[in-house]
Amino acid sequence: MDILLSILAILVLAKVLGELVERVGYPALIGEIAAGVILGPSLLNLVAHDDVIEALSTIGVILLLFVIGSQMNLKLFVSSTARMVVTAVTASLIPVCAGFLLGTLLHQPLILSFYLAIILSITSVGIVVPTLVSLNKFNTEIGTTIIGVAVLDDLIALTLYGILSSMSVGKGISTADLLISVGISLLFIIGMATAGRFVLRRVFTLSARASSHEVSYAISLILAIAAALLSHAAGLNYVIGAFLAGLILGDLIRIDRQLFDSLTDSAFGFFVTLFFASVGLVLEITPQNLSPLIIPILLTAIGAKILGGFLGSIWFFKDAKSALLVGIGLCPKGDLPLAISKYALLAGLISNELYTTTVLTVIATIIITPALLKRGFQSQVEPAPLG
């Protein structure tokens, strides 16, 4: 199929299905992934995942993580730092350990156990926020705890993924390799938080003085892509640099509502849609790829997150139900694990079977979590936290 016709088919079907899915209360990304599944090799096999689609979807995932990062107002969480840090550590550590243990029990290689550990540790901010808003719990103590922990969990997961993505495919993981990978990831994050922060904010501030508002828009895109390329040059994935750039520039971007809306509309109106559709395009749902592993992986993903969130936050709330709701709210996966999984597949780190299992697990958590949260909040009179 002609490439323009392919893009047109993807956009039309993805937007139609995304709108239908949103009308029944779920994120549009489920419909957009479904569009890729329908048009790809799983069903109609009309659209190929070629270099053009991949290039556009790469820009999409860069913009997706940049926008997610720019939405994070970390200053809102300063007053609850202890509660969020403690909860984030347990809500990451327990799923990471569970992922390693599950991979070992399933006789998976160490690198695949590491991959499972990363995927299980993630909470999707992009799914959590609209869910809490729809339940009118965004500005509650439970809501802000969930969001703050989700942000920290994603930072931890991105650091772990930086380690994974810097490992050579096909090599064993020696202690030296692991230490080098950890060092590269930490140096990149520290560099972005110091020199990178100064450069990015300085360039953006200078662009705001231009007579044309389009300059700030263009500079935002340039800085997002530049940061992504820098992380890629360091042996990490594009998403890490893009996310950090969004965090660094977030407060500057959000005060210019027109700029923020323009970035969001261009990202989610075209590029991000192509990215989610591409997730479905490389998904081959065949009897061979429908693994029974989805049941233990899904149960572990939900159980480990609930346990981690509960154990981390129980010390800061007066009742166990509030801590349980925090754990439930940390369950949904979404954009970030999909991005990590797709790049892990294309890099040869995981099989089509594990990729299919991961995508289906992500979709299941997106469907299950809002229903569990709604039920939990209906029976909850939220208490004030202890600290």
Side-chain angles (χ1 to χ4, degrees), residues 95-174:
V96 164
C97 292
F100 271 112
L101 178 60
L102 180 62
T104 302
L105 293 176
L106 296 175
H107 306 291
Q108 298 294 317
L110 181 58
I111 198 166
L112 293 186
S113 297
F114 194 13
Y115 163 80
L116 282 176
I118 295 169
I119 295 301
L120 297 189
S121 71
I122 297 172
T123 296
S124 175
V125 179
I127 303 300
V128 165
V129 171
T131 299
L132 291 171
V133 170
S134 67
L135 295 173
N136 198 29
K137 298 294 181 179
F138 183 81
N139 290 317
T140 63
E141 292 292 345
I142 292 176
T144 54
T145 299
I146 291 172
I147 296 167
V149 172
V151 172
L152 294 175
D153 277 357
D154 283 359
L155 284 172
I156 294 170
L158 282 169
T159 303
L160 294 175
Y161 181 57
I163 297 170
L164 178 67
S165 64
S166 64
M167 294 174 179
S168 299
V169 178
K171 282 184 60 179
I173 306 174
S174 66

Side-chain angles (χ1 to χ4, degrees), residues 41-302:
S42 295
L43 286 177
L44 300 180
N45 201 24
L46 295 176
V47 177
H49 185 268
D50 58 17
D51 291 341
V52 176
I53 298 292
E54 177 58 22
L56 292 173
S57 67
T58 298
I59 296 174
V61 75
I62 289 171
L63 293 181
L64 172 66
L65 271 295
F66 181 73
V67 170
I68 288 175
S70 68
Q71 289 175 330
M72 299 298 103
N73 186 356
L74 300 183
K75 293 179 181 178
L76 291 177
F77 309 121
V78 171
S79 60
S80 305
T81 300
R83 174 165 30 114
M84 292 175 183
V85 169
V86 171
T87 307
V89 169
T90 59
S92 288
L93 183 61
I94 290 177
V96 164
C97 292
F100 271 112
L101 178 60
L102 180 62
T104 302
L105 293 176
L106 296 175
H107 306 291
Q108 298 294 317
L110 181 58
I111 198 166
L112 293 186
S113 297
F114 194 13
Y115 163 80
L116 282 176
I118 295 169
I119 295 301
L120 297 189
S121 71
I122 297 172
T123 296
S124 175
V125 179
I127 303 300
V128 165
V129 171
T131 299
L132 291 171
V133 170
S134 67
L135 295 173
N136 198 29
K137 298 294 181 179
F138 183 81
N139 290 317
T140 63
E141 292 292 345
I142 292 176
T144 54
T145 299
I146 291 172
I147 296 167
V149 172
V151 172
L152 294 175
D153 277 357
D154 283 359
L155 284 172
I156 294 170
L158 282 169
T159 303
L160 294 175
Y161 181 57
I163 297 170
L164 178 67
S165 64
S166 64
M167 294 174 179
S168 299
V169 178
K171 282 184 60 179
I173 306 174
S174 66
T175 303
D177 290 333
L178 186 60
L179 290 175
I180 290 171
S181 299
V182 171
I184 290 173
S185 299
L186 292 178
L187 283 174
F188 180 77
I189 292 173
I190 292 170
M192 285 291 290
T194 54
R197 183 178 187 276
F198 173 79
V199 172
L200 289 175
R201 292 177 70 88
R202 179 66 174 165
V203 172
F204 184 87
T205 302
L206 289 174
S207 72
R209 300 176 183 175
S211 58
S212 172
H213 193 266
E214 287 78 8
V215 173
S216 294
Y217 175 81
I219 290 297
S220 298
L221 297 180
I222 290 169
L223 293 177
I225 295 172
L229 288 171
L230 188 60
S231 65
H232 183 68
L236 309 177
N237 193 267
Y238 294 116
V239 300
I240 297 172
F243 184 78
L244 292 175
L247 281 176
I248 290 167
L249 297 174
D251 59 330
L252 298 178
I253 291 174
R254 288 193 305 273
I255 60 175
D256 186 341
R257 194 66 202 180
Q258 183 181 350
L259 173 61
F260 181 78
D261 289 343
S262 296
L263 286 170
T264 303
D265 290 344
S266 61
F268 287 89
F270 181 75
F271 291 104
V272 175
T273 298
L274 286 177
F275 164 69
F276 284 130
S278 74
V279 169
L281 285 177
V282 298
L283 187 66
E284 296 185 30
I285 302 179
T286 63
Q288 295 78 17
N289 288 338
L290 289 176
S291 169
L293 294 180
I294 188 172
I295 302 300
I297 289 176
L298 176 60
L299 292 177
T300 305
I302 294 176

Side-chain angles (χ1 to χ4, degrees), residues 83 87 90 145 308-317 322-324 326-327:
R83 174 165 30 114
T87 307
T90 59
T145 299
F310 176 83
L311 292 179
S313 61
I314 186 63
W315 313 102
F316 300 96
F317 287 95
S322 296
L324 182 63
V326 169

